[in-house]
Amino acid sequence: MQYILSTERLSLRKLTHADWSFILELVNTEGWIKFIGDRNVHSEADALRYLNNGPLASYRENDFGLWLVESKGGEKIGLCGILTRAYLQNPDVGFAFLPEYTGKGFAIEIVKATIQYAMKHWQFEKISAIIIPTNERSINLVERLGFAFVERFKHENETLLLFTYG
Ligand SMILES: CC(C)(COP(=O)(O)OP(=O)(O)OC[C@H]1O[C@@H](n2cnc3c(N)ncnc32)[C@H](O)[C@@H]1OP(=O)(O)O)[C@@H](O)C(=O)NCCC(=O)NCCS
């Protein structure tokens, strides 16, 4: 298996079609629906469509994208990676974990390694994070990593907080 990077407890690798059932589970967790949004993924075909139009398209177009977070034991536990959005000046970091793998410091461990790797590898000067105001766990996480609050803005009728690192 070729990994993008590894930390003490975790590894990051590209997603493939074989990860469809993990995607189906993750994007339907309460946390994902509440804080990221309902992607209408309810079947294998939907999950494959999500993979094709999202992470796999981004690997092709940008080289980076959302990657799979694995434990050293090989369990699929979350996603973390770098995204681009037309309405943002800088690339942004995205992350989400299955609920049974939160509260263990896994998210902060892999987000920290991901931003360090991405800034070096693609020479990004800054990396942003966009978070809805009620997502306190994510706000805590990026603030602990040294992201600074930039502004509150509206996108497609939703209020978002912009944080930037670097
Ligand atoms: C956002 C999300 C990834 C945060 O996960 P998390 O596990 O709370 O994040 P962290 O890695 O920072 O872990 C912190 C917790 O682990 C605990 N912890 C245990 N061992 C630890 C260790 N070795 N190192 C650091 N923290 C540790 C901390 O005490 C803290 O616990 P607390 O919340 O009870 O205070 C998760 O809630 C999630 O997937 N949410 C849904 C999707 C989402 O919102 N994505 C972001 C959209 S912007």
Side-chain angles (χ1 to χ4, degrees), residues 35-99:
F35 296 125
I36 298 177
D38 191 347
R39 296 289 182 262
N40 280 314
V41 174
H42 302 297
S43 64
E44 177 176 354
D46 290 345
L48 290 171
R49 172 182 47 79
Y50 172 87
L51 280 162
N52 285 336
N53 297 339
L56 304 191
S58 181
Y59 302 154
R60 256 196 326 274
E61 288 159 22
N62 304 311
D63 198 25
F64 51 80
L66 272 181
W67 297 296
L68 179 77
V69 184
E70 275 187 3
S71 70
K72 289 282 164 79
E75 293 106 334
K76 301 174 188 189
I77 71 172
L79 297 182
C80 180
I82 306 292
L83 304 147
T84 53
R85 300 174 205 265
Y87 60 90
L88 287 188
Q89 215 180 328
N90 299 301
D92 65 295
V93 64
F95 46 87
F97 281 71
L98 291 177

Side-chain angles (χ1 to χ4, degrees), residues 9 31-32 35-36 95-97 101-108 130-131 135 137-138 141 144:
R9 297 181 293 172
W32 182 293
F35 296 125
I36 298 177
F95 46 87
F97 281 71
Y101 297 105
T102 61
K104 300 177 194 309
F106 286 150
I108 197 161
I130 43 167
I131 305 178
N135 193 350
R137 293 183 85 96
S138 291
L141 188 156
R144 272 183 292 144

Side-chain angles (χ1 to χ4, degrees), residues 109-128:
E109 180 173 325
I110 202 72
V111 173
K112 184 178 180 189
T114 299
I115 58 176
Q116 284 171 351
Y117 175 82
M119 289 180 109
K120 200 169 160 194
H121 196 79
W122 289 284
Q123 284 97 44
F124 300 139
E125 277 179 22
K126 291 176 188 288
I127 292 187
S128 293

